[in-house]
Amino acid sequence: SKKINKQRRWSILLHISSEFIIFAVVMKDFAAIDFETANGECTSVCSVGLVVVRDGMIADRFYSLIHPEPDYYTYWNTRVHGLTQNDTDCAPVFPEVWRKVEPLIAGLPLVAHNKAFDERCLKAVFRCYQMDYPDYPFLCTLVKSRRVWPQGRHNLDVIAARCGYNLTDHHHALADAEACAAIALQIL
């Protein structure tokens, strides 16, 4: 009876230990992603920023403007990120950009600050262009930051500062992805 209990405890500890190891490995390898949109439509992604983290270090960065669909900008969206129709008139459409992104993120979970927005945009633009969505695993630094720091604001710039990262170009997709990666390395 004691021998069986010892085996069970070891099994449980081994299981917990192996989950921790898997979790640690996953969080050392991920791709932080951020989209900006031209208007209120989720399909209107007009820029993407991507930071690939491997073994806990930034391994690659990618940024591209995207010709949005539908192709118009609202005053409010431009006010947030500063992009206008002139910036993206000659930009590639989403499928062309994603062909460059896809090999960079192969096998990696995606991380976003406010995953609800970025994942919704990604799924919508895949549908818009009739592309098969590969069901990317998505993690959220916003949700995790609310657990780590229940009080106060949880905006990207605020949480980045709490993690020791100075976000100087907020709402530029690459700068936001870099901040998200810095946060993920600290709290996920």
Side-chain angles (χ1 to χ4, degrees):
S1 174
K2 269 189 171 180
K3 192 172 190 178
I4 292 171
N5 283 340
K6 282 183 182 180
Q7 286 176 339
R8 283 186 183 164
R9 273 191 238 134
W10 176 254
S11 175
I12 291 168
L13 290 173
L14 182 60
H15 181 69
I16 290 169
S17 178
S18 68
E19 281 183 0
F20 175 76
I21 290 168
I22 290 167
F23 181 74
V25 169
V26 169
M27 294 323 334
K28 289 176 70 178
D29 299 299
F30 61 88
I33 192 165
D34 184 76
F35 289 106
E36 299 299 329
T37 55
N39 54 64
E41 301 293 326
C42 292
T43 58
S44 72
V45 294
C46 59
S47 69
V48 60
L50 181 76
V51 175
V52 177
V53 175
R54 295 193 185 277
D55 202 23
M57 302 292 291
I58 293 176
D60 210 343
R61 289 177 174 85
F62 177 85
Y63 175 78
S64 181
L65 293 172
I66 301 170
H67 194 93
E69 180 59 43
D71 186 15
Y72 70 90
Y73 282 77
T74 63
Y75 166 80
W76 295 109
N77 288 55
T78 293
R79 188 170 170 198
V80 168
H81 51 59
L83 296 173
T84 67
Q85 196 155 14
N86 287 341
D87 295 313
T88 57
D89 272 343
C90 297
V93 293
F94 178 80
E96 293 173 34
V97 172
W98 202 252
R99 277 193 286 278
K100 295 175 184 174
V101 169
E102 206 164 27
L104 298 173
I105 65 170
L108 295 175
L110 299 179
V111 177
H113 195 79
N114 191 6
K115 133 191 160 116
F117 172 79
D118 294 286
E119 186 175 31
R120 185 171 53 244
C121 288
L122 187 57
K123 287 179 176 181
V125 77
F126 262 77
R127 274 192 311 274
C128 176
Y129 287 99
Q130 299 177 353
M131 299 165 59
D132 290 331
Y133 186 76
D135 203 25
Y136 295 107
F138 242 106
L139 301 163
C140 186
T141 55
L142 174 61
V143 169
K144 182 66 175 190
S145 72
R146 287 178 175 152
R147 289 186 193 132
V148 174
W149 297 288
Q151 304 300 317
R153 294 176 41 228
H154 295 87
N155 302 37
L156 180 63
D157 56 335
V158 171
I159 300 304
R162 285 183 185 166
C163 292
Y165 184 85
N166 183 21
L167 176 57
T168 57
D169 200 6
H170 194 15
H171 295 297
H172 181 283
L174 183 56
D176 286 0
E178 288 172 340
C180 179
I183 293 166
L185 285 167
Q186 292 291 318
I187 68 171
L188 285 183

